[in-house]
Amino acid sequence: MKINRRTFIGTAAAASATLSAPAVLGAAHGRPKVVVVGGGAGGATVAHYLGKDSGGAIDVTLIEPTRRYYTCFFSNLYLGGFREFESLGHSYGTLASDFGVNVVHDWVTGVDREARTVSLASGGSMAYDKLVLSPGIDFIEGAVEGWSTASQNKMPHAYKAGSQSQLLKAQIEAMPEGGTYAMVAPPNPFRCPPGPYERISMVAHRLKQINPTAKILILDPKEKFSKMALFQEAWGDHYDGMIEWVGPDFGGGNVSVNPDTMEVSVDGEIEKVDVCNVIPAMKAGHICEQAGLTEGNWAPVEPTAMTSRLDPNVHVLGDSSQQGDMPKSGFSANSQAKVVANNIRGQLTGSQIFPARYSNTCWSLVGTNDGIKVGASYEAGEDKITKIDGFISQTGESDEVRKQTYEESEGWYDGISADMFG
Amino acid sequence: MTGKKRQTGKSIRSVFLASAVLMFGAPALGAGDIERGEALYGKCIGCHQVGEGAVNRIGPQLNGIFDRPAGTVEGYRYSNGMKRASADGLVWTREKLDAFIEDPRILVSRTRMSFRGMKDEQDRTDLLAYLQQYSDNPSDIPEATPRVVGADHDLDPAVLAIVGDPAYGEYLSGECAGCHQDSGANDGIPAITNWPVEDFVIALHAYKSGIREHPVMEMMAKRLTDDEIAALAAYYKDLE
Ligand SMILES: Cc1cc2nc3c(=O)[nH]c(=O)nc-3n(C[C@H](O)[C@H](O)[C@H](O)COP(=O)(O)OP(=O)(O)OC[C@H]3O[C@@H](n4cnc5c(N)ncnc54)[C@H](O)[C@@H]3O)c2cc1C
């Protein structure tokens, strides 16, 4: 494997850095410590790259409550029957065994930024020199009238993957013939802008197989959404007459739900539904707020290395961060993670810090072998991450192009999984 | 079931097939059209050289490929997938070559050869007839067809001459790694490990200039400077 060579390069770089820059942080108290909170697209990648590239010069701890991480990306494909549930699950074994990451399965319950420690749900605390927060999203309580996280077993969000995805799939498959699946779509900004609409496509695909007279209702507070023309084209092509999108002009933004009666009120009009997939408005993972690193709903960061605007020893990345133009996606979080890892390693060991470069691509599957994509490249602008250039699939593309796009997305899934978990 | 038994079954079937084809007056299997095959070889030439003076490029040179054990060209670094297939006894018989070209990954899972496959049987028959000339008798290699050019390009030699910094390339490769795996896996997105520097540089400049079209890669390449492309090439060259 390549690790040997990498480790060698890393160690050599670290050693020479210590010689030439004796003032670096670690020199004072043994190996410098980095604590990474959240083992998702952002956090796992930071831990992987720090472990891989520092060759042991940095003490890397990854704190993540779940032993197996189920990716949100491709969880819609699971709903559509294109993926097995277990194919979405990944564990942290390789990060620990091959990259020297200290993986701790626990919740971080607080951050003392003065003392530079994090406290753990199981008791005890951990010191850091640099803290990385990539805790994903949480939902804003009260965002959808009548819904709270306590009702997520009746009206699942399935916007954090795992048992929620399984529940939603089971509910969809148990719908009565000709029944109704409703989605309450979230307002901007939210994780994975095409995610709700890819989900609609996948739910429609599944229902067309098992319950072709079923109806799909989208209640949306937004005037328009990501890849809208492409999705609408696909819905017409593949699921004609099945899907109704209700935008804000028709009450899509004035929705309340009753999980006990399975009723949805749209502009005061009550509708009984069989499945209600509520995706509420989102904010940064709770821990960001607890750490006092948020302004409004998100954690503001500067664009060159995702450093918190409120604390130079903390980097916040992924969905929780407010950075500028990048969408909240797994691809973005993974891209940001490499910039963060390079920067932290430079600060702690004196290795070279390269200028930030960011990019994103979001694929969506809209039918069998029918993939679409949108993407962009970004740079660190004056005060935010700024878009440079972008592309998007076109309506009316050939079947061959769409199939190739889908195959690329499968390649990407394997690629990002390896890039996160080693 | 022993391997021997299966072999027997197969040869009976192919004898039957061959005579079936003869009955309908089609050309006998194996007798492909060499001229057509030469044109079809255009699909391989970006990666493989064949003929006098052929050397390894992105893929190994293909002289003498017929009936040679897989993964054994001197000096070429094969993927672990190909090494495994070789250790399992894969030999490039006509039949195996045909299957490989039809769909490389079905025959050799996790091969690094990024080729979507040639689905048409007649195309494969013709292509193999062309390739076989370079195998039948190595001393008999047709002189007039030294297909030893790499991909066509009009890149400034000064750009090709830039010596890249692999350490910078390693950092830059972070942007590629979410799609192109360091392991050389090749599923939906081609493998780019272990490429000769020149081919790598030519490929990225082809995207950068838009000669080669692909929305993602054009965007990725457009922002790379000449030095950055050279750095990436220097890094990926040695990645196994
Ligand atoms: C249905 C759906 C489809 C999607 N499809 C795509 C797609 O195709 N492409 C794409 O790029 N993106 C997609 N995404 C978006 C992608 O999943 C997220 O943007 C990405 O996971 C964000 O990474 P992150 O590191 O910020 O958070 P996450 O990946 O959510 O990771 C956060 C981790 O932090 C942990 N955590 C939270 N709080 C604490 C704490 N206090 N202590 C310890 N650990 C904590 C959590 O357990 C979690 O594992 C999709 C999302 C959804 C919902």
Side-chain angles (χ1 to χ4, degrees):
Chain A
M1 271 198 74
K2 63 186 184 291
I3 294 166
N4 289 332
R5 198 180 63 81
R6 293 290 190 86
T7 311
F8 169 73
I9 289 173
T11 318
S16 58
T18 323
L19 288 179
S20 61
V24 292
L25 248 174
H29 54 278
R31 291 194 301 163
K33 290 186 170 60
V34 176
V35 170
V36 182
V37 180
T45 310
V46 171
H48 177 204
Y49 274 71
L50 283 176
K52 171 169 80 74
D53 295 338
S54 79
I58 297 176
D59 180 346
V60 185
T61 298
L62 177 65
I63 309 178
E64 160 64 47
T66 61
R67 281 170 194 278
R68 206 162 160 75
Y69 174 86
Y70 288 90
T71 58
C72 276
F73 27 104
F74 280 33
S75 66
N76 288 329
L77 276 64
Y78 158 70
L79 297 178
F82 290 93
R83 277 259 166 178
E84 293 297 320
F85 182 68
E86 269 316 313
S87 78
L88 305 175
H90 304 269
S91 51
Y92 298 92
T94 310
L95 288 184
S97 63
D98 291 15
F99 298 98
V101 175
N102 175 26
V103 180
V104 175
H105 291 297
D106 208 336
W107 282 97
V108 171
T109 51
V111 178
D112 182 339
R113 294 197 278 115
E114 287 283 301
R116 290 201 207 150
T117 57
V118 297
S119 47
L120 303 176
S122 65
S125 69
M126 243 175 199
Y128 65 79
D129 295 304
K130 292 284 174 192
L131 177 66
V132 177
L133 298 180
S134 191
I137 50 107
D138 272 302
F139 301 112
I140 297 177
E141 286 293 328
V144 175
E145 197 188 322
W147 192 91
S148 73
T149 38
S151 32
Q152 69 179 18
N153 288 339
K154 287 183 176 140
M155 292 188 168
H157 51 79
Y159 233 64
K160 295 182 181 186
S163 57
Q164 276 279 303
S165 324
Q166 290 177 299
L167 175 65
L168 182 61
K169 184 163 161 83
Q171 288 188 352
I172 291 164
E173 294 181 347
M175 271 168 61
E177 203 181 313
T180 302
Y181 160 101
M183 169 188 283
V184 180
N188 290 324
F190 63 99
R191 97 173 346 173
C192 195
Y197 311 98
E198 177 185 58
R199 174 169 300 170
I200 292 295
S201 315
M202 290 294 94
V203 171
H205 176 83
R206 188 75 187 118
L207 287 174
K208 197 172 161 186
Q209 293 172 333
I210 58 171
N211 191 348
T213 54
K215 292 273 174 251
I216 293 177
L217 185 63
I218 315 164
L219 306 169
D220 206 327
K222 303 182 293 299
E223 297 278 354
K224 51 186 185 142
F225 54 84
S226 169
K227 297 189 263 195
M228 187 163 179
L230 292 161
F231 279 114
Q232 287 180 333
E233 176 191 51
W235 295 345
D237 286 353
H238 299 307
Y239 320 111
D240 198 24
M242 207 175 194
I243 300 169
E244 186 187 352
W245 180 74
V246 180
D249 292 348
F250 297 90
N254 182 18
V255 172
S256 66
V257 299
N258 184 336
D260 294 321
T261 58
M262 287 304 285
E263 284 172 336
V264 180
S265 155
V266 186
D267 244 355
E269 218 167 289
I270 308 280
E271 179 143 4
K272 187 135 174 45
V273 300
D274 300 289
V275 176
C276 190
N277 179 194
V278 177
I279 310 177
M282 297 168 204
K283 60 178 184 178
H286 285 308
I287 192 67
C288 296
E289 196 178 340
Q290 270 157 2
L293 294 169
T294 51
E295 274 171 8
N297 290 324
W298 308 101
V301 296
E302 56 72 53
T304 55
M306 312 295 291
T307 310
S308 167
R309 298 232 183 237
L310 303 168
D311 186 335
N313 291 314
V314 184
H315 298 256
V316 185
L317 72 155
D319 292 352
S320 285
S321 64
Q322 179 179 308
Q323 30 68 20
D325 295 350
M326 295 181 81
K328 299 184 188 301
S329 75
F331 198 116
S332 296
N334 171 263
S335 164
Q336 292 159 5
K338 290 170 246 193
V339 173
V340 169
N342 176 257
N343 184 276
I344 289 181
R345 194 159 62 88
Q347 288 190 58
L348 296 182
T349 70
S351 66
Q352 194 172 354
I353 296 178
F354 295 108
R357 33 202 322 140
Y358 304 104
S359 54
N360 178 58
T361 298
C362 281
W363 288 269
S364 303
L365 185 63
V366 295
T368 306
N369 284 325
D370 193 350
I372 56 177
K373 64 186 168 191
V374 59
S377 55
Y378 304 86
E379 65 188 0
E382 193 101 306
D383 54 359
K384 66 176 177 94
I385 294 181
T386 315
K387 178 172 164 178
I388 312 174
D389 189 12
F391 64 85
I392 183 164
S393 296
Q394 302 300 309
T395 51
E397 280 171 342
S398 70
D399 293 352
E400 184 55 27
V401 167
R402 291 298 178 86
K403 178 161 185 272
Q404 202 169 325
T405 301
Y406 171 53
E407 287 172 0
E408 275 170 37
S409 74
E410 290 191 298
W412 166 74
Y413 187 89
D414 293 345
I416 190 176
S417 302
D419 211 35
M420 289 166 64
F421 299 103
Chain B
M1 189 171 58
T2 68
K4 205 171 170 204
K5 250 191 193 145
R6 249 182 306 167
Q7 278 303 107
T8 323
K10 220 174 240 166
S11 50
I12 289 171
R13 208 164 41 241
S14 44
V15 169
F16 170 74
L17 263 179
S19 52
V21 170
L22 279 177
M23 281 196 308
F24 291 103
L29 273 182
D33 176 340
I34 291 179
E35 236 168 83
R36 244 192 116 240
E38 180 170 1
L40 286 161
Y41 187 70
K43 294 201 182 299
C44 327
I45 201 165
C47 298
H48 292 288
Q49 297 188 349
V50 69
E52 210 184 330
V55 295
N56 298 331
R57 297 291 295 245
I58 294 167
Q61 56 90 355
L62 295 178
N63 287 336
I65 189 72
F66 277 70
D67 297 320
R68 189 170 67 204
T72 52
V73 170
E74 272 284 316
Y76 183 79
R77 283 174 298 182
Y78 291 91
S79 67
N80 288 335
M82 187 64 80
K83 284 184 201 152
R84 197 174 331 109
S86 178
D88 290 348
L90 177 64
V91 172
W92 290 125
T93 58
R94 193 190 173 286
E95 204 181 14
K96 287 290 194 275
L97 281 170
D98 186 68
F100 188 62
I101 294 165
E102 181 176 3
D103 193 330
R105 272 174 291 153
I106 287 184
L107 188 69
V108 182
S109 55
R110 308 199 82 79
T111 173
R112 202 192 308 123
M113 172 154 137
S114 309
F115 179 66
R116 293 170 69 79
M118 191 175 274
K119 303 300 169 203
D120 187 281
E121 190 176 354
Q122 190 61 49
D123 285 356
R124 298 196 303 275
T125 303
D126 295 345
L127 175 62
L128 287 175
Y130 168 73
L131 272 182
Q132 193 159 17
Q133 306 172 89
Y134 302 95
S135 284
D136 283 348
N137 184 351
S139 64
D140 202 25
I141 288 169
E143 248 172 74
T145 45
R147 303 298 300 267
V148 292
V149 280
D152 287 340
H153 69 88
D154 50 11
L155 212 56
D156 182 349
V159 170
L160 275 176
I162 299 172
V163 177
D165 167 9
Y168 187 33
E170 177 166 17
Y171 169 70
L172 293 171
S173 78
E175 246 201 315
C176 326
C179 288
H180 298 283
Q181 295 183 53
D182 283 1
S183 66
N186 163 34
D187 263 312
I189 294 181
I192 58 171
T193 53
N194 244 320
W195 276 34
V197 166
E198 185 177 283
D199 293 310
F200 196 97
V201 171
I202 290 170
L204 281 182
H205 279 281
Y207 287 121
K208 189 176 160 92
S209 64
I211 295 174
R212 191 163 166 190
E213 288 178 28
H214 187 271
V216 174
M217 282 311 304
E218 286 175 68
M219 180 186 84
M220 298 307 294
K222 241 189 265 170
R223 73 193 294 197
L224 294 169
T225 63
D226 295 349
D227 285 337
E228 287 169 342
I229 289 176
L232 281 160
Y235 171 67
Y236 276 109
K237 159 174 81 75
D238 291 323
L239 200 60
E240 309 225 19

